[in-house]
Amino acid sequence: MVKQDKRVVVIGAGMAGILAGIKLREAGFTEIAIYEKADRVGGTWRENTYPGLTCDVPSHHYTYSFERNPDWSRHLSPGPEIQSYFERTAKKYGVDEILHCNQQATSAEFIDGRWHLGFQDGHSDVADILISATGVLHKPKYPQIDGIETFKGDCFHSARWDHSVALEGKRIGVIGNGSTGVQLISALAGRAGKLEHFVRHPQWIMPVENGYFSNEERQAFHDPAVLKEAMRFEEYNAAVERYTTAIVDMESEGAREMGAICLANLEQSVKDPVLREQLRPDHAPLCYRLIFSPDYYQAIQHPNAALVTEGIAGIEEAGIRTADGELHELDIIVLATGFHPDTFMRPMAFKGRNGVDLETLWADGPKAYLAATLPDFPNFFMLNGPNGPVGNFSLIDIAELQWHYIAQCIDKLTTQEFDEISPSTESMVRFESERVAAAKETVWYRGGCKSWYLDKNGVPSSWPWTYSRFAQAMSEPDWPAFECVKHPT
Ligand code: NAP
């Protein structure tokens, strides 16, 4: 193994930051620092601890390809198991040794060929290569609802769960019906004394199995050949391609099939015709990120549960007042109201070559060349950056594809061939115009809903092509799109 003497700083120790640490060590880098704002690794899975938290990607596929886990308890893994998986994987691969916790990066500037970083506690660092692995959905979005501060009970965001609050027998209101709100309703239906789900726009629900693996099955999965067979890669990959094709082409066969399954799920699972109509979405399936749930419809039909589609007029001391004048008295209000998806590494102050400011570059919304690099930000790479694929498939797989791409760019620096690498402004502009045009053809834009996929201009910000196109783009950088600089010696 070649020893690499460049200093690399990674910001964030979630799934992608851990991956970067493992891969950098594997490549022989000895000068690596991973900075994490919290007290431990895990990102999303550390921050989200709400009851019912589950990954809707089949559990065996939601792992690093080099560290499969035969021990998942269920087909869809529960959040705490995923958090332990990341903690033990970070330890196993020595990420703990290069990890600096409780260190929030506040600034980065490219000066004289290197990245100069500042941290909240006043310390600084300098890096030749900077990698941002700060995640996408990490800044909770709090709703602007009149009187919310007057509520006398407990009120918190789903990603800031207050575990000191007892749930059993309580009157609980959940606002929001994205993947989080739906999982919460399933988990709370048998526990709350009264459970009310406040829904503005009902969503399509894809039925899914979530059984437990038996001890015998888990034992058998320790044989990699058995696990590989159980993962049915061909079928899984085809499903991902079909899903992303359905996003790109609303008229595709896959889109029609998925729509039909969701419709049948609604028709067959909800007995009361009034409730069924209230739960019937008015947008095309997949316009929102599709919700996979084995039991939401059963949960909302629980005797203690109720759907509330009347708009929220305000929140008062005793509960939620809806537009029809009814007061819904509650002990707990959970805000499953989503996240600000355009934060990435901000609020860091970020400046590239010659003082180019990230805020100026992103004035119209976050963007990146093929989701990974930025013009005038040399030797800076993003994992799960803007416009990358985010959907009903493994983001770990996406990060690994991105790493494969980024590692080839880094090679240009470590072989001493070049000192700086970044995409040209022309390639960024060209890519961006193709991306926006393609985004306007997707179901996210044309499907009749307004989801978190849309940026402030109403343009979908996620990867607007198929999974296979992304995998192809990540297989090798298109070198003519990059500007490579050699410093005079
Ligand atoms: P979300 O999909 O953005 O949903 C937010 C919900 O809150 C929507 O139903 C929205 O209603 C509602 N809402 C927002 N502001 C409101 C207000 N002022 N009044 C009433 N309702 C309001 O958020 P999320 O459910 O947390 O999910 C975000 C993403 O996290 C998912 O799309 C997914 O990528 C990820 N996630 C994944 C999993 C998994 O299993 N892998 C689980 C959870 C989350 P409108 O639709 O009417 O705006």
Side-chain angles (χ1 to χ4, degrees), residues 50 54 56 143 176-180 183 200-201 288-289 336-338 452:
Y50 61 80
T54 307
D56 62 9
N177 60 317
S179 303
T180 303
Q183 290 184 352
R200 281 198 302 210
H201 297 99
Y288 285 97
R289 183 185 184 278
T337 44
W452 66 262

Side-chain angles (χ1 to χ4, degrees), residues 204-417:
W204 292 106
I205 311 272
M206 176 66 85
V208 62
E209 285 296 314
N210 189 19
Y212 287 89
F213 293 116
S214 67
N215 286 341
E216 292 70 29
E217 280 174 310
R218 280 191 279 159
Q219 203 50 47
F221 294 151
H222 281 256
D223 176 346
V226 174
L227 182 57
K228 191 172 174 200
E229 186 159 348
M231 289 173 73
R232 302 206 291 265
F233 276 97
E234 216 171 297
E235 200 179 301
Y236 173 79
N237 292 338
V240 172
E241 190 63 10
R242 188 175 67 140
Y243 179 85
T244 52
T245 303
I247 286 165
V248 174
D249 177 5
M250 281 172 70
E251 266 51 81
S252 69
E253 197 184 325
R256 276 202 297 275
E257 271 171 26
M258 280 184 267
I261 296 171
C262 292
L263 180 61
N265 189 27
L266 173 69
E267 301 288 358
Q268 290 160 17
S269 309
V270 184
K271 293 188 190 72
D272 174 8
V274 176
L275 181 63
R276 199 187 309 134
E277 288 321 302
Q278 286 178 314
L279 284 167
R280 193 181 297 277
D282 62 0
H283 56 266
L286 278 74
C287 185
Y288 285 97
R289 183 185 184 278
L290 193 56
I291 294 178
F292 284 72
S293 173
D295 51 10
Y296 172 74
Y297 286 142
Q298 286 87 329
I300 199 65
Q301 294 174 88
H302 188 281
N304 292 350
L307 180 77
V308 183
T309 52
E310 191 67 39
I312 296 173
I315 295 182
E316 305 175 5
E317 282 189 10
I320 295 177
R321 174 94 54 192
T322 42
D324 56 2
E326 186 179 344
L327 176 66
H328 301 256
E329 291 189 56
L330 298 165
D331 302 308
I332 302 167
I333 297 176
V334 180
L335 309 171
T337 44
F339 301 86
H340 293 279
D342 57 354
T343 307
F344 296 97
M345 55 278 192
R346 296 180 291 178
M348 270 181 88
F350 229 93
K351 284 192 176 162
R353 197 162 32 205
N354 306 323
V356 172
D357 197 333
L358 184 75
E359 291 305 323
T360 311
L361 198 64
W362 283 7
D364 231 14
K367 55 181 152 218
Y369 184 64
L370 288 169
T373 57
L374 288 168
D376 287 320
F377 286 70
N379 311 349
F380 170 63
F381 306 98
M382 286 176 277
L383 285 164
N384 298 126
N387 317 135
V390 182
N392 296 75
F393 40 80
S394 170
L395 214 53
I396 306 182
D397 175 43
I398 298 300
E400 286 194 19
L401 291 172
Q402 287 174 325
W403 186 263
H404 179 72
Y405 177 90
I406 291 169
Q408 293 173 72
C409 295
I410 292 177
D411 274 351
K412 290 271 183 211
L413 306 171
T414 53
T415 54
Q416 309 298 325
E417 207 181 332

